[in-house]
Amino acid sequence: MKSLSILGATGSIGSNALEIIRQFPDRFTVIALTAKTQVALLARQIVEFTPRLAAVVDADHARQLRALLPPALDVEIVFGEAGYVEAATCRETDMVLGAMVGSAGLVPTLAAIDAGKDIALANKETLVMAGAIVMEKIAVRGVKLMPVDSEHSAIFQSMAGHGHHGIREILLTASGGPFLNRPAEEFTSITPRDALRHPNWSMGSKITIDSATLMNKGLEVIEARWLFDIDFSRIKVVVHPQSIVHSMVSYQDGAVMAQMGVPDMKGAIAYGLSHPGRLPLDVPSPDFAHIGQLTFETPDRARFPCLSLAYRAGEQGGTLPAVLNAANEVAVAAFLDNRLPFLGIYQIVDQTLNRHCANTGSDLGQLIEADRWARETALALIHRQER
Ligand code: NAD
Ligand code: MG
């Protein structure tokens, strides 16, 4: 029996994880669940999975959550960053599923590692911001870090039995998002509604916008750099619109290992939770004859310049990836709020990176300060555009 804390339980990854857990009650038990503000859904999850602790963003939402729960239900409700840390470090917890969105996942994830918990990580922003610190802690504490992002799960699976030996390149596949074939001159009219319509994957809104700009793939390049300890020059992105090949690893003898599956996150989540075993899921294998063709192409960096921004920030290192990530979070939120055009996302992140001259060290305090500075700077740039 594996005891789990799920950070971001009400999201797309969190809900999919609970769907898996529901099917395997003899394998998993839930110790803690967290959400930001979605108290109604969280309350239903608490009633069903009976964790002993739940955390939300603030005292107000904690009160709202309590009011929605049967008075007799024995669950401790905590809030704020300290509450998320408590959820991530419960004594009984074996593994923490990091499924919060954004840099809010960083501190609880680090606390979980410090507390000796195994980690299944969907929250890529944590690795983008502080990959070196996370990986060092993982090594020092000797805990397991399982990638949940489908590409990284695929790379992990493609390396099984080979380890790091003889790797030539990592090939991250990208669906290309909803605008893969849209001409550049039509990018100015893209609305949040257009961008939220992902052709293959159903995900939370932030990552769906990141997929439309290809920033998601850029963040994943940085994520791969840390998870697999490989130089940026050996991480390539290849557009694969069918999203069947989830990623590949090429070896020095020319062999390429790929992991395939239908585009359903349940496979990667379940593998992260159950490794080294595989769970019998109600997810079909791809019907290749029906799919017919698997195609691959080079990403168009002119129409999707966010990809190059991410490589630039990743290669320069230091505080730049944290700045990239924070500026992107702010810009995506403004776009979703109809306060910034689609192309503005790239512009805001680019301008914020250009203004960030400090890039001194990269200890945790400096990264958190860079994140704060980048949010403030990106917001100010957005306000200036609005005037
Ligand atoms: P989502 O928006 O559907 O859910 C996010 C969850 O985090 C919710 O439970 C929400 O309440 C919580 N949350 C949001 N902001 C928070 C904050 N400031 N503090 C505390 N909790 C907060 O997101 P998602 O699509 O499930 O993605 C979660 C993470 O997994 C992201 O980092 C994303 O990049 C990554 N990921 C998602 C998918 C996918 O298919 N959805 C695939 C790969 C990776
Ligand atoms: Mg992914």
Side-chain angles (χ1 to χ4, degrees), residues 6 9 14-15 17-25 28-33 41-52 73:
I6 302 181
S15 305
L18 287 172
E19 214 173 293
I20 294 163
I21 292 162
R22 179 184 293 127
Q23 287 170 38
F24 301 98
F28 302 110
T29 174
V30 176
I31 303 296
L33 294 175
L41 176 54
L42 184 61
R44 290 199 296 279
Q45 293 177 339
I46 292 170
V47 168
E48 179 178 353
F49 293 96
T50 61
R52 83 153 174 79
L73 197 71

Side-chain angles (χ1 to χ4, degrees), residues 79-135:
F79 59 85
E81 190 173 83
Y84 295 135
V85 165
E86 223 178 301
T89 57
C90 287
R91 190 179 42 78
E92 311 91 312
T93 294
D94 301 317
M95 184 176 236
V96 174
L97 173 62
M100 283 159 85
V101 64
S103 64
L106 175 63
V107 169
T109 304
L110 292 177
I113 301 169
D114 282 337
K117 310 302 183 192
D118 288 334
I119 309 288
L121 196 63
N123 174 227
K124 66 193 81 184
E125 293 92 344
T126 280
L127 280 174
V128 171
M129 225 184 131
I133 294 174
V134 171
M135 297 315 289

Side-chain angles (χ1 to χ4, degrees), residues 7 38 150 161 216 263 279 286 354:
L7 311 181
Q38 298 89 329
S150 58
N216 181 51
L279 295 172
N354 291 339

Side-chain angles (χ1 to χ4, degrees), residues 8-13 35-36 38 84 99-102 104 122-125 149 202-204 207 265:
T10 56
S12 161
I13 294 287
K36 188 177 182 185
Q38 298 89 329
Y84 295 135
M100 283 159 85
V101 64
N123 174 227
K124 66 193 81 184
E125 293 92 344
D149 213 345
S202 158
M203 311 180 283
I207 183 176
M265 282 306 294

